[in-house]
Amino acid sequence: MSRPHSDSVSRLNRILPVPIELHNDEEDIESVDNINRVNGSGDSRNNTHQSPKKQKLSHITNVMVGEHHLIEGEYGKPYISWAIKIVLDDSDYSSIIVYKRYSEIEQFHQDLLHHYQNTKSTLIPNLPPKDNFSIERLLLSNNWLEERRKGLQWFMSNVLLNPKLQDCEVIKKFILG
């Protein structure tokens, strides 16, 4: 015997999710409000969101470089991947976890430097130095990995939590790509 769907559940099924935006422009706030109206959530009876001028789009509020993972690469050559948790709007329910190799983070750094090469007011911090990774180093010294993690944490925090940089396409590509 099936249970009848409540009216609120059937209304939820008609609302399409709005993609997460990583910037906060007035024009985009109005477009989110327009999307809500098109999807039916802008109806005054169902309107639970703030007015367009007060509504804030998601932005990065915390970043944590977590555990490293040893991955067996092509031709048996291992590499390390870092878990990076990006929290939006101070909510653990709105977070993204990405796994990136040091070389991908290094490319991200280069892309940022290239993107902001003509902007003297935007300083991109340095990455921790690149050392040669080897299984022997991993087995002999977890201290090396912890120092690398701390350096990556410092870099990611200074880049991803900088409000001047959060609108950058390079950052969106790094997180969502």
Side-chain angles (χ1 to χ4, degrees), residues 38-153:
V38 168
N39 289 336
S41 63
D43 184 356
S44 62
R45 294 178 307 232
N46 299 333
N47 193 355
T48 58
H49 66 281
Q50 298 173 358
S51 69
K53 297 294 181 195
K54 293 182 182 176
Q55 182 181 15
K56 286 181 137 182
L57 294 176
S58 297
H59 65 283
I60 300 170
T61 54
N62 198 5
V63 61
M64 294 163 277
V65 177
E67 297 179 353
H68 66 278
H69 301 275
L70 186 60
I71 309 292
E72 190 70 31
E74 285 185 37
Y75 312 111
K77 186 176 178 184
Y79 63 89
I80 290 184
S81 181
W82 296 92
I84 303 169
K85 182 178 181 180
I86 299 161
V87 178
L88 304 173
D89 298 326
D90 288 325
S91 173
D92 280 336
Y93 299 107
S94 297
S95 63
I96 301 168
I97 298 177
V98 295
Y99 295 89
K100 300 288 184 178
R101 296 175 69 165
Y102 184 86
S103 60
E104 293 172 300
I105 298 169
E106 195 173 41
Q107 182 60 53
F108 172 55
H109 181 256
Q110 290 301 314
D111 292 345
L112 284 169
L113 290 174
H114 178 72
H115 185 78
Y116 289 104
Q117 68 186 355
N118 297 326
T119 309
K120 294 183 182 187
S121 65
T122 305
L123 296 174
I124 306 299
N126 291 323
L127 280 170
K130 183 170 185 164
D131 294 333
N132 291 329
F133 169 74
S134 68
I135 294 295
E136 294 81 28
R137 173 173 265 176
L138 176 66
L139 294 175
L140 295 176
S141 175
N142 278 333
N143 188 38
W144 175 79
L145 287 168
E146 180 58 19
E147 291 302 313
R148 167 68 57 93
R149 189 200 66 73
K150 287 178 183 176
L152 291 174
Q153 175 70 48

